[in-house]
Amino acid sequence: MDFIKIAICDDEKNIRAYLSSLVRKQGAECEIAEYASADEYLLDQTEYDLLFLDIELDGAASGMDGMELARRIRGMELERQPVIIFVTGYEKYVYDAFDVGAFQYLLKPIDEQRFAEVFDRAAAQIIFEAEQKKKTLVIQYGCESRAVPIHSIYYIESRNHKVVLYLKDGELEYYEKIGRLEEELQGQFFRIHRGYLVNLAYVEGYDKTEVTLTNGIRLPLSKRYEDFAAAYLQFVQ
């Protein structure tokens, strides 16, 4: 990616300016936009890679605070969802932040070293996800070869000497062995059952008997729970 698109949404002008200066100190190739309210942010309709968001956000005619804005964003069908870093003066909001998939939070007054650490990890995740979107699975479909973006596959099912790719925009069935795909896609996918390979990027939750994906699909977990948990934790780190 050429640069990281960053938004800062805070009703305090001095905080926005300070966060912008801290971002520039990190030396990353980036583009920064500032917003004083949730209404301003939503009205612009620009998609961002990274969003610094004040939880106690005032100044919006709608009365929307940062937490509600985050919920709105998470409910949108976006080409890319932003990594959200909450900025707050109160630790009491920390657990609520993770309910909306926040990457991290920063407490005011903002510590520069803490900012640098959080920013580096967020940037690394954004770059990693961008690289993942470029990866494809080349399949023989009919009489032609077809490249399927890895990020478009929720999971893969083995069915009667074929496999079915469950994609964001439908299904694709072709002749292939799930064991071979397991080898090719290791690291990104995990075989949770003899008949299922799941994309670890879309795992929303799991227990000792099943895995829940971000699209709501639940699949059986018959492999060792500890092996799956270790693979998933390694992936998200």
Side-chain angles (χ1 to χ4, degrees):
M1 64 193 320
D2 295 330
F3 54 80
I4 300 173
K5 293 190 71 173
I6 300 172
I8 297 170
C9 190
D10 195 299
D11 58 316
E12 297 182 66
K13 186 176 181 179
N14 62 321
I15 296 294
R16 295 198 303 272
Y18 182 53
L19 286 169
S20 291
S21 69
L22 289 179
V23 168
R24 292 189 177 93
K25 280 186 179 181
Q26 309 315 308
E29 292 287 332
C30 63
E31 175 183 295
I32 306 170
E34 298 181 15
Y35 301 92
S37 70
D39 291 351
E40 269 190 30
Y41 180 91
L42 292 173
L43 187 62
D44 191 18
Q45 297 185 335
T46 299
E47 292 188 14
Y48 292 97
D49 302 303
L50 177 57
L51 170 61
F52 290 96
L53 180 56
D54 179 20
I55 294 181
E56 310 85 38
L57 200 57
D58 293 322
S62 62
M64 194 186 310
D65 64 9
M67 195 64 67
E68 179 57 30
L69 174 57
R71 292 191 185 97
R72 291 277 190 96
I73 292 170
R74 290 299 184 236
M76 294 176 179
E77 291 291 332
L78 302 174
E79 179 67 25
R80 62 176 183 270
Q81 278 279 345
V83 169
I84 296 177
I85 297 175
F86 275 117
V87 182
T88 177
Y90 304 95
E91 287 193 71
K92 65 181 181 180
Y93 292 116
V94 169
Y95 293 107
D96 291 335
F98 296 112
D99 287 341
V100 291
F103 177 78
Q104 228 351 311
Y105 68 93
L106 295 168
L107 284 175
K108 298 177 182 178
I110 298 166
D111 178 79
E112 290 197 23
Q113 183 174 345
R114 164 79 171 162
F115 180 93
E117 292 170 356
V118 171
F119 182 87
D120 282 348
R121 286 193 286 115
Q125 177 171 308
I126 290 164
I127 292 168
F128 172 77
E129 289 178 354
E131 291 174 346
Q132 289 300 111
K133 287 184 177 181
K134 296 177 184 177
K135 293 184 178 180
T136 59
L137 173 65
V138 178
I139 68 173
Q140 194 66 33
Y141 187 66
C143 298
E144 61 182 30
S145 294
R146 178 173 171 180
V148 179
I150 296 296
H151 75 91
S152 71
I153 308 171
Y154 282 112
Y155 68 100
I156 301 171
E157 180 184 8
S158 176
R159 183 194 295 170
N160 299 326
H161 305 294
K162 294 183 179 182
V163 293
V164 182
L165 307 185
Y166 290 87
L167 310 170
K168 290 184 176 180
D169 58 356
E171 300 174 11
L172 187 58
E173 185 176 1
Y174 68 105
Y175 286 100
E176 179 59 280
K177 294 180 179 179
I178 196 169
R180 197 195 69 76
L181 290 181
E182 180 183 9
E183 292 181 10
E184 181 176 348
L185 301 173
Q186 62 181 328
Q188 173 83 33
F189 282 71
F190 188 88
R191 194 168 183 178
I192 60 171
H193 180 278
R194 65 179 297 177
Y196 296 106
L197 271 172
V198 299
N199 190 335
L200 294 172
Y202 297 120
V203 171
E204 185 170 78
Y206 59 90
D207 57 28
K208 292 187 177 181
T209 62
E210 66 180 13
V211 175
T212 303
L213 303 183
T214 54
N215 62 354
I217 296 294
R218 295 184 177 186
L219 300 172
L221 175 58
S222 63
K223 295 285 187 175
R224 278 174 54 88
Y225 169 80
E226 293 82 2
D227 292 342
F228 171 75
Y232 178 69
L233 291 174
Q234 182 176 359
F235 176 80
V236 297
Q237 288 173 358

